Tab-separated table of all heavy atoms in Angstrom:
chain	number	residue	atom	x	y	z
A	65	GLY	N	11.481	6.018	10.943
A	65	GLY	CA	10.383	6.013	11.899
A	65	GLY	C	9.207	5.130	11.501
A	65	GLY	O	9.331	4.328	10.575
A	66	THR	N	8.137	5.323	12.162
A	66	THR	CA	6.918	4.489	11.992
A	66	THR	C	6.067	4.941	10.796
A	66	THR	O	5.843	6.159	10.714
A	66	THR	CB	6.053	4.493	13.254
A	66	THR	OG1	6.875	4.055	14.363
A	66	THR	CG2	4.859	3.579	13.150
A	67	VAL	N	5.661	4.064	9.962
A	67	VAL	CA	4.728	4.369	8.849
A	67	VAL	C	3.418	4.768	9.503
A	67	VAL	O	2.866	4.007	10.361
A	67	VAL	CB	4.504	3.176	7.892
A	67	VAL	CG1	3.392	3.455	6.899
A	67	VAL	CG2	5.812	2.831	7.192
A	68	CYS	N	2.909	5.933	9.182
A	68	CYS	CA	1.632	6.491	9.770
A	68	CYS	C	0.514	6.107	8.870
A	68	CYS	O	0.694	5.579	7.806
A	68	CYS	CB	1.760	7.968	9.969
A	68	CYS	SG	3.123	8.454	11.087
A	69	MET	N	-0.722	6.523	9.272
A	69	MET	CA	-1.882	6.236	8.477
A	69	MET	C	-1.771	6.774	7.060
A	69	MET	O	-2.041	6.112	6.097
A	69	MET	CB	-3.172	6.747	9.119
A	69	MET	CG	-4.385	6.475	8.319
A	69	MET	SD	-5.845	7.164	8.990
A	69	MET	CE	-6.586	5.706	9.699
A	70	ASP	N	-1.420	8.083	6.952
A	70	ASP	CA	-1.381	8.726	5.657
A	70	ASP	C	-0.071	9.374	5.257
A	70	ASP	O	-0.032	10.192	4.337
A	70	ASP	CB	-2.472	9.867	5.643
A	70	ASP	CG	-3.860	9.244	5.717
A	70	ASP	OD1	-4.154	8.280	4.966
A	70	ASP	OD2	-4.684	9.705	6.524
A	71	LEU	N	0.999	9.032	5.962
A	71	LEU	CA	2.276	9.588	5.599
A	71	LEU	C	3.441	8.752	6.107
A	71	LEU	O	3.270	7.938	7.016
A	71	LEU	CB	2.442	11.068	6.039
A	71	LEU	CG	2.481	11.370	7.536
A	71	LEU	CD1	3.890	11.246	8.114
A	71	LEU	CD2	1.996	12.749	7.754
A	72	SER	N	4.572	8.958	5.515
A	72	SER	CA	5.830	8.322	5.923
A	72	SER	C	6.957	9.367	5.848
A	72	SER	O	6.841	10.323	5.040
A	72	SER	CB	6.176	7.145	4.987
A	72	SER	OG	5.193	6.145	5.037
A	73	VAL	N	7.969	9.214	6.677
A	73	VAL	CA	9.042	10.131	6.741
A	73	VAL	C	10.285	9.561	6.117
A	73	VAL	O	10.599	8.372	6.368
A	73	VAL	CB	9.353	10.560	8.223
A	73	VAL	CG1	10.494	11.545	8.291
A	73	VAL	CG2	8.123	11.108	8.902
A	74	ILE	N	10.990	10.312	5.325
A	74	ILE	CA	12.235	9.841	4.715
A	74	ILE	C	13.372	10.735	5.290
A	74	ILE	O	13.257	11.977	5.352
A	74	ILE	CB	12.240	10.036	3.216
A	74	ILE	CG1	10.941	9.424	2.593
A	74	ILE	CG2	13.442	9.452	2.537
A	74	ILE	CD1	10.742	8.012	2.889
A	75	ASP	N	14.473	10.095	5.755
A	75	ASP	CA	15.635	10.881	6.258
A	75	ASP	C	16.683	10.899	5.101
A	75	ASP	O	17.281	9.887	4.734
A	75	ASP	CB	16.229	10.144	7.476
A	75	ASP	CG	17.344	10.951	8.103
A	75	ASP	OD1	17.818	11.918	7.507
A	75	ASP	OD2	17.707	10.589	9.218
A	76	PHE	N	16.902	12.107	4.595
A	76	PHE	CA	17.824	12.314	3.491
A	76	PHE	C	19.259	12.633	4.034
A	76	PHE	O	20.157	12.851	3.244
A	76	PHE	CB	17.397	13.458	2.597
A	76	PHE	CG	16.137	13.106	1.836
A	76	PHE	CD1	14.904	13.599	2.253
A	76	PHE	CD2	16.186	12.352	0.688
A	76	PHE	CE1	13.751	13.283	1.555
A	76	PHE	CE2	15.075	12.015	-0.001
A	76	PHE	CZ	13.804	12.510	0.429
A	77	GLY	N	19.421	12.623	5.331
A	77	GLY	CA	20.714	12.893	5.951
A	77	GLY	C	21.241	14.221	5.471
A	77	GLY	O	20.538	15.219	5.503
A	78	ALA	N	22.433	14.259	4.990
A	78	ALA	CA	23.072	15.485	4.462
A	78	ALA	C	22.641	15.782	3.040
A	78	ALA	O	22.947	16.815	2.496
A	78	ALA	CB	24.598	15.366	4.569
A	79	GLY	N	21.890	14.826	2.484
A	79	GLY	CA	21.455	15.018	1.093
A	79	GLY	C	20.444	16.129	0.952
A	79	GLY	O	19.849	16.614	1.922
A	80	LYS	N	20.267	16.598	-0.262
A	80	LYS	CA	19.305	17.676	-0.523
A	80	LYS	C	17.978	17.087	-1.032
A	80	LYS	O	17.962	16.059	-1.702
A	80	LYS	CB	19.887	18.593	-1.564
A	80	LYS	CG	21.099	19.416	-1.112
A	80	LYS	CD	21.552	20.355	-2.114
A	80	LYS	CE	22.760	21.157	-1.583
A	80	LYS	NZ	23.231	22.118	-2.540
A	81	ALA	N	16.912	17.764	-0.673
A	81	ALA	CA	15.596	17.400	-1.128
A	81	ALA	C	14.750	18.659	-1.186
A	81	ALA	O	15.066	19.634	-0.500
A	81	ALA	CB	14.954	16.364	-0.176
A	82	GLU	N	13.707	18.623	-1.991
A	82	GLU	CA	12.823	19.759	-2.080
A	82	GLU	C	11.448	19.273	-2.316
A	82	GLU	O	11.238	18.197	-2.878
A	82	GLU	CB	13.259	20.730	-3.135
A	82	GLU	CG	13.353	20.141	-4.517
A	82	GLU	CD	13.964	21.101	-5.544
A	82	GLU	OE1	15.016	21.664	-5.270
A	82	GLU	OE2	13.381	21.185	-6.621
Side-chain angles (χ1 to χ4, degrees):
T66 304
V67 173
C68 302
M69 179 184 258
D70 293 313
L71 65 86
S72 298
V73 180
I74 310 304
D75 185 348
F76 294 99
K80 294 185 179 182
E82 58 188 48

